[in-house]
Amino acid sequence: MTPEELRKAALAYHHDGAPGKISVVATKPCNTAQDLSLAYTPGVAQPCLAIKETPADVWNYTSRGNLVAVVSDGTAVLGLGNIGPEAGLPVMEGKAVLFKHFADIDAVPVCLGKVFNEKGRTDAAKVIETVERLEPTFGGINLEDIGAPACFEVEQTLKKRMNIPVFHDDQHGTAIISLAAIINALKMVGKKIEDCRFVVNGAGAAGIACSRFYITAGAKRSNFIMCDSKGVIYKGRTDLNPEKQEFAAETDARTLADAMKGADIFLGFSAPNCVTAEMVKSMNKGAVIFAMANPVPEIFPDVALAAGAAVVGTGRSDFPNQINNVLGFPGIFRGALDVRARDINEAMKLAAANALAELAAESIPADVKEQLTAAYPADAAAGMFEGESQLKATYVIPKPFDPRVVPRVAMRVAEAAMKTGVAQLKIEDLKEYEKSVAKRIKK
């Protein structure tokens, strides 16, 4: 499909029929006078009074327990930048579609206007004030495409002030998925995360959050070199915000090429074609590269592999090892909602990453293989889904259309929430819960 054909097809997809991609569907009948009296006046007074008497009954008599707000101000839309809330709305509608399709979670796009400073960037205080007031309606908040550094303050403050999960997917979704891929990639090359040297190109929300998360998983902060558009973030630079200062390294390296010499893992959240074959050749043997710039990665997989990389991933669906956030947020929120978690904490995030890593190493049942073959015929023809252990250089992370992903992630997240004391409901049989999620999604 040519770029012009894609443009026309996408506009038609979003316009034809009913404009947009989502609608509201009632879960109860409203076909008779009796139905009307129960749905609205006078019958609706009864659940209202019950909730007034016992506020926790809001979870029993409303849709709040399965409702997530997808909140954005449109200041950092993937691949498009600061396009504003109206232009960002199709992306948030798309996120709502994915919540529903993959996890049967109802999601509402909430694009915020008039939350900007004089430079047109996010005013964190205004976003915080607005989102905090949404709490009585929703079971969780998914923050999306909010520019750095304001996004850090927005999420951290809301997590403290709200008693429902608040999750900035641009930070933590990418961190969780990429960590799962790193866990399995390091198995392939026989290395331990605590021994690996990391180069992170891109110091925005994703780069900072991913680096912090890898450290939580065992990587050493002293083994990180982070780069931004001006080069290496080193101690002594005077133009660094607090988040960048956190990763200022004691190093003589000043360029990306300098930083990659002797590195084990490269993570790209930056710009197209900024990594060369020569840079890859300068890395340690068994180099792992996840080049996640979209739509054009920092280096294309064939170039990286030819230069000696052992495992390569991107953000694109047409290459192996796609770092796709849809592997994370649907199952994470499914598990968090089902135990009525007050937060999505570090343990729950690590549980999600480990769930994805373990799933990628398991053999694929025949019925799942059939679905994956239909969704990914070229990969199936190449033998990607064969073998007792699936793990291979081209398959260190599951595919988004693997029906086992959301149930497994939800189960592990719910388990971690209960173990860490943020769950308000208890699931007695986690294996049965995993099966029930699979049946719910299939239905």
Side-chain angles (χ1 to χ4, degrees):
M1 186 179 290
T2 67
E4 180 59 19
E5 289 172 335
L6 175 62
R7 186 187 73 84
K8 289 181 178 179
L11 291 176
Y13 177 88
H14 286 79
H15 173 268
D16 292 353
K21 300 188 290 287
I22 60 174
S23 65
V24 175
V25 177
T27 61
K28 303 295 189 297
C30 190
N31 301 317
T32 68
Q34 173 72 358
D35 293 340
L36 183 59
S37 69
L38 294 175
Y40 200 51
T41 184
V44 74
Q46 299 312 307
C48 291
L49 292 171
I51 294 167
K52 184 177 183 298
E53 180 70 22
T54 308
D57 272 348
V58 69
W59 304 101
N60 298 323
Y61 296 121
T62 74
S63 60
R64 185 183 178 190
N66 196 51
L67 192 61
V68 169
V70 181
V71 179
S72 180
D73 63 0
T75 53
V77 178
L78 180 63
L80 300 174
N82 187 354
I83 60 175
E86 292 86 357
L89 185 55
V91 179
M92 307 316 133
E93 284 192 357
K95 196 67 173 279
V97 170
L98 300 183
F99 266 114
K100 189 64 178 179
H101 179 82
F102 286 98
D104 191 30
I105 293 171
D106 297 317
V108 177
V110 180
C111 286
L112 306 179
K114 301 181 180 179
V115 292
F116 311 109
N117 60 28
E118 63 280 0
K119 295 181 179 179
R121 302 299 296 176
T122 304
D123 184 325
K126 291 180 180 178
V127 174
I128 291 164
E129 180 184 23
T130 303
V131 176
E132 186 179 8
R133 289 174 173 168
L134 298 176
E135 183 168 348
T137 301
F138 294 98
I141 303 292
N142 183 108
L143 301 172
E144 193 81 12
D145 295 342
I146 298 172
C151 62
F152 300 112
E153 180 183 351
V154 168
E155 188 200 38
Q156 291 162 8
T157 303
L158 289 174
K159 284 172 73 71
K160 292 175 183 176
R161 293 185 183 179
M162 301 181 80
N163 289 309
I164 57 175
V166 177
F167 185 80
H168 185 201
D169 193 43
D170 302 302
Q171 293 184 56
H172 309 300
T174 305
I176 289 163
I177 313 309
S178 58
L179 177 61
I182 288 170
I183 290 170
N184 283 337
L186 293 182
K187 292 178 185 176
M188 299 293 301
V189 299
K191 296 181 182 180
K192 297 180 179 179
I193 193 169
E194 59 265 29
D195 299 327
C196 290
R197 286 192 54 216
F198 289 75
V199 173
V200 179
N201 198 39
I208 296 287
C210 286
S211 300
R212 287 171 172 169
F213 193 56
Y214 306 150
I215 292 167
T216 300
K220 294 179 180 177
R221 186 180 298 274
S222 59
N223 284 341
F224 279 77
I225 294 181
M226 186 176 289
C227 301
D228 61 12
S229 60
K230 297 179 181 178
V232 170
I233 296 173
Y234 59 89
K235 287 190 182 298
R237 266 185 59 174
T238 59
D239 59 343
L240 304 177
N241 62 36
E243 288 75 25
K244 291 183 181 182
Q245 287 175 359
E246 181 183 338
F247 285 93
E250 291 277 8
T251 179
D252 294 329
R254 292 295 181 266
T255 67
L256 177 60
D258 293 339
M260 289 185 69
K261 293 175 183 176
D264 298 287
I265 299 173
F266 169 82
L267 284 304
F269 311 94
S270 50
N273 296 316
C274 62
V275 173
T276 66
E278 288 69 29
M279 292 180 190
V280 177
K281 291 176 182 177
S282 76
M283 297 176 71
N284 279 339
K285 185 178 179 180
V288 175
I289 292 178
F290 290 105
M292 290 174 277
N294 261 318
V296 180
E298 287 82 358
I299 186 170
F300 278 91
D302 58 337
V303 178
L305 291 167
V311 179
V312 181
T314 71
R316 289 173 49 149
S317 60
D318 52 347
F319 295 128
N321 299 322
Q322 183 192 17
I323 309 301
N324 189 329
N325 283 19
V326 78
L327 288 166
F329 69 83
I332 292 166
F333 271 94
R334 182 73 278 155
L337 291 172
D338 288 343
V339 294
R340 203 179 299 161
R342 292 184 294 268
D343 187 20
I344 295 174
N345 59 28
E346 291 300 299
M348 294 160 74
K349 297 171 197 173
L350 285 170
N354 285 315
L356 292 169
E358 71 181 13
L359 190 58
E362 294 178 6
S363 61
I364 299 177
D367 59 329
V368 175
K369 189 177 296 183
E370 185 177 342
Q371 294 180 60
L372 290 173
T373 299
Y376 307 99
D379 291 331
M384 183 176 288
F385 309 127
E386 302 300 329
E388 285 300 312
S389 175
Q390 290 306 116
L391 208 57
K392 49 182 73 74
T394 56
Y395 188 86
V396 295
I397 194 166
K399 294 287 191 178
F401 283 103
D402 187 329
R404 301 171 298 166
V405 166
V406 169
R408 179 67 60 85
V409 171
M411 184 266 284
R412 294 296 186 204
V413 167
E415 180 183 36
M418 291 187 290
K419 286 182 177 179
T420 55
V422 298
Q424 299 180 79
L425 300 177
K426 186 176 182 181
I427 295 174
E428 296 292 345
D429 190 328
L430 286 163
K431 285 296 181 184
E432 283 303 313
Y433 167 67
E434 183 179 4
K435 292 177 183 178
S436 73
V437 173
K439 290 178 181 177
R440 176 175 185 168
I441 296 167
K442 185 176 181 179
K443 181 180 178 182

